[in-house]
Amino acid sequence: MSKAFMRMSIAAAVLVFFLATFYSLNIRAAQQEVSASRSDERALDLASFDLVWKTVKETYHDSMLAGLDWQGIRDRLRPRMESAASSEEARSVIGEVLAPLNQSHFMVIPREYYQGERTDSALSGNGVCGFDVRLVDGKVVVTSVRDDSPAFAAGVRPGWEIVRIGAVPVRETMEEIAELYRGRSRFEFEFIHTLYSSLSGEIGDSGPVLFRDGENREREIAIVLVKRPGRYIPAYGNLGPAFVDFEAKRLAGDVGYIRFNGFAGVTYLSPAFNGAMDSLRAAKGVIVDLRGNSGGIGGIALAMAGWFVAEKGRSLATITSRDRADRILVVPRSKTYGGPLAVLVDGLTASAAEFLSGGLQDLGRARLFGVRTAGFSGQGSLLKLPNGDMLMHMTARHVRADGTDVEGNGVEPDVEARPTRKSLLEGKDAALDAALEWLRGS
């Protein structure tokens, strides 16, 4: 079985690193060198622990820190930090400091991710399975398959249920994630991304996946990983590398369709979106598909809103920090698109994608189709730690026009359009079909 399909711990589901260990013929000398190295690392890890605790105490948007005994958390966990035997263990301890906040946009990003010219193999490898999945009626179901992928060639189709990845039943993984995120809106977001991590690795890796096909027959298929789609966006400043998969086309009935998976790469994504909208100024309707869009740079989302909002002084949202609340105003373009706009959302729509979709909905400028978004939204800041790792921490809330917080609540669509296994097997797309019906009747 390929290492891509080996079971991963939940704590490592998002950021996975393989650290090489080098051996010396002189075992004693090597042990002394490692000991000295770890001693130096421990001092930096301790300094990082202290800085994380202090930074959250001073910058978290809630000055009461959600009623937590913040000093008590430090007193309880710092001794464990002092005895941490590795950098990974130290990161785990810092994760325990952050966990009681129960908020998104808190994580420690290992320093290896930022060293050198890396791709997203630092996260999970350049190889991906070639299909998308979602939680449909309590089951993990394929929602789309790339027609140039080995998975498609092997017969995998939308509507197929995934029963097991490698040796691990998806139900078992679901129960573990449910225990961590019970009652929280971003359960599907965390769960599906955990599965994606276990379905990724290096290009050409392969491993068995047990499906239940359209006839409810179990079929085990060796899935070969293919190159991640999209344009590679190099690391920039504190932002890590990413792949942006952008698509724009015209559908029947003179409806424009734009889809992209994240808000990154200003010099690529912004011109691509602007070019697409330039060509669609006279379209009867436009669909912006933000399903599976996990967010990114909020400024890109704000600039996109300028295509659809003609009036000056309109606010997309309010960003509320500890000591201030700022209305985020849309700056209209010189020529905007005034036709009907449909936005597609689902449980993997997060962060900047919620900022854009929720704001356009509040302004009455877009009609949303799909299911509730992840509720994974706030203003995150990045801070480099003494040990070289990066801390992402939330400094402000994303508040909608009615005063509700998107974090933990998500954005409800105007028209709920949930996929079913039956509709997927029939080649239908519930959210897209509902949006097209509305646009063509406008």
Side-chain angles (χ1 to χ4, degrees):
M1 182 187 302
S2 163
K3 68 182 181 182
F5 293 83
M6 294 175 65
R7 184 176 184 182
M8 300 183 306
S9 68
I10 299 303
V14 179
L15 296 170
V16 178
F17 291 88
F18 298 95
L19 305 178
T21 301
F22 297 92
Y23 295 94
S24 167
L25 292 176
N26 187 331
I27 301 297
R28 180 173 298 175
Q31 289 175 336
Q32 291 174 346
E33 182 178 346
V34 170
S35 177
S37 174
R38 181 56 200 153
S39 178
D40 294 339
E41 287 180 350
R42 182 174 288 112
L44 294 174
D45 286 340
L46 277 170
S48 298
F49 176 96
D50 291 338
L51 182 57
V52 168
W53 183 86
K54 179 175 182 289
T55 298
V56 175
K57 182 175 184 291
E58 294 177 350
T59 66
Y60 185 54
H61 58 76
D62 177 6
S63 61
M64 301 302 293
L65 291 147
L68 296 170
D69 179 3
W70 200 240
Q71 183 64 48
I73 290 174
R74 180 184 188 279
D75 294 344
R76 177 172 57 86
L77 293 174
R78 199 175 193 281
R80 284 183 49 197
M81 193 71 176
E82 293 170 353
S83 60
S86 66
S87 294
E88 287 185 341
E89 186 177 339
R91 290 177 189 127
S92 178
V93 175
I94 292 178
E96 289 189 49
V97 173
L98 302 174
L101 292 165
N102 195 21
Q103 298 280 287
S104 67
H105 292 76
F106 277 103
M107 69 175 66
V108 175
I109 306 171
R111 53 189 170 272
E112 289 87 354
Y113 183 48
Y114 290 92
Q115 292 175 351
E117 182 65 18
R118 303 184 65 91
T119 66
D120 71 337
S121 60
L123 295 180
S124 57
N126 284 328
V128 293
C129 60
F131 53 84
D132 288 323
V133 299
R134 292 295 189 275
L135 198 57
V136 177
D137 295 328
K139 299 177 180 179
V140 176
V141 176
V142 176
T143 53
S144 66
V145 188
R146 285 170 52 186
D147 58 12
D148 61 348
S149 68
F152 185 88
V156 179
R157 294 295 183 269
W160 283 28
E161 179 189 352
I162 297 183
V163 179
R164 187 182 70 237
I165 299 173
V168 184
V170 296
R171 176 65 58 179
E172 184 177 320
T173 304
M174 185 188 303
E175 290 172 356
E176 292 182 6
I177 297 291
E179 185 64 28
L180 289 173
Y181 295 99
R182 193 176 304 281
R184 293 156 73 178
S185 63
R186 69 178 194 264
F187 161 70
E188 183 181 6
F189 181 90
E190 302 286 359
F191 173 50
I192 297 300
H193 279 288
T194 298
L195 295 183
Y196 280 154
S197 293
S198 64
L199 285 166
S200 62
E202 297 305 320
I203 297 170
D205 280 354
S206 66
V209 176
L210 181 64
F211 295 91
R212 188 170 285 120
D213 69 13
E215 304 299 323
N216 282 324
R217 297 170 301 187
E218 289 193 347
R219 296 178 57 179
E220 184 169 276
I221 297 176
I223 297 298
V224 180
L225 302 184
V226 294
K227 182 179 179 182
R228 187 178 297 272
R231 173 74 66 89
Y232 170 61
I233 307 298
Y236 178 77
N238 288 335
L239 297 176
F243 279 79
V244 174
D245 186 17
F246 181 88
E247 176 186 12
K249 59 186 178 182
R250 279 184 183 266
L251 304 177
D254 194 27
V255 173
Y257 174 87
I258 300 173
R259 178 194 62 82
F260 52 99
N261 65 329
F263 293 82
V266 176
T267 58
Y268 166 64
L269 179 58
S270 293
F273 188 86
N274 293 342
M277 287 306 305
D278 266 329
S279 70
L280 295 171
R281 288 184 189 277
K284 182 176 181 180
V286 169
I287 296 172
V288 177
D289 191 345
L290 297 180
R291 292 175 295 180
N293 188 309
S294 54
I297 302 172
I300 299 178
L302 183 62
M304 289 179 177
W307 274 100
F308 307 109
V309 180
E311 304 89 348
K312 294 181 179 180
R314 306 298 299 276
S315 172
L316 201 63
T318 300
I319 301 300
T320 303
S321 60
R322 182 174 295 193
D323 54 3
R324 59 186 295 171
D326 296 311
R327 293 177 64 238
I328 308 302
L329 301 180
V330 179
V331 179
R333 297 182 64 88
S334 57
K335 293 183 179 180
T336 58
Y337 171 76
L341 171 65
V343 178
L344 311 186
V345 296
D346 68 5
L348 269 66
T349 303
S351 194
E354 294 178 288
F355 176 63
L356 179 60
S357 58
L360 291 173
Q361 182 187 52
D362 288 344
L363 290 171
R365 187 57 192 89
R367 192 166 176 81
L368 272 54
F369 297 81
V371 297
R372 184 177 64 163
T373 65
F376 195 100
S377 188
Q379 180 172 291
S381 297
L382 290 167
L383 174 68
K384 189 171 184 179
L385 301 175
N387 65 3
D389 289 349
M390 199 75 70
L391 170 70
M392 174 180 283
H393 60 109
M394 186 188 289
T395 58
R397 300 184 301 129
H398 169 195
V399 180
R400 300 187 65 183
D402 64 0
T404 60
D405 194 338
V406 176
E407 174 75 16
N409 295 308
V411 176
E412 290 283 355
D414 297 287
V415 177
E416 183 175 82
R418 291 184 176 275
T420 65
R421 191 167 179 230
K422 180 177 182 294
S423 67
L424 289 166
L425 287 168
E426 293 172 349
K428 298 177 181 178
D429 183 330
L432 179 60
D433 292 345
L436 286 171
E437 182 180 2
W438 174 67
L439 288 171
R440 290 167 181 165
S442 298

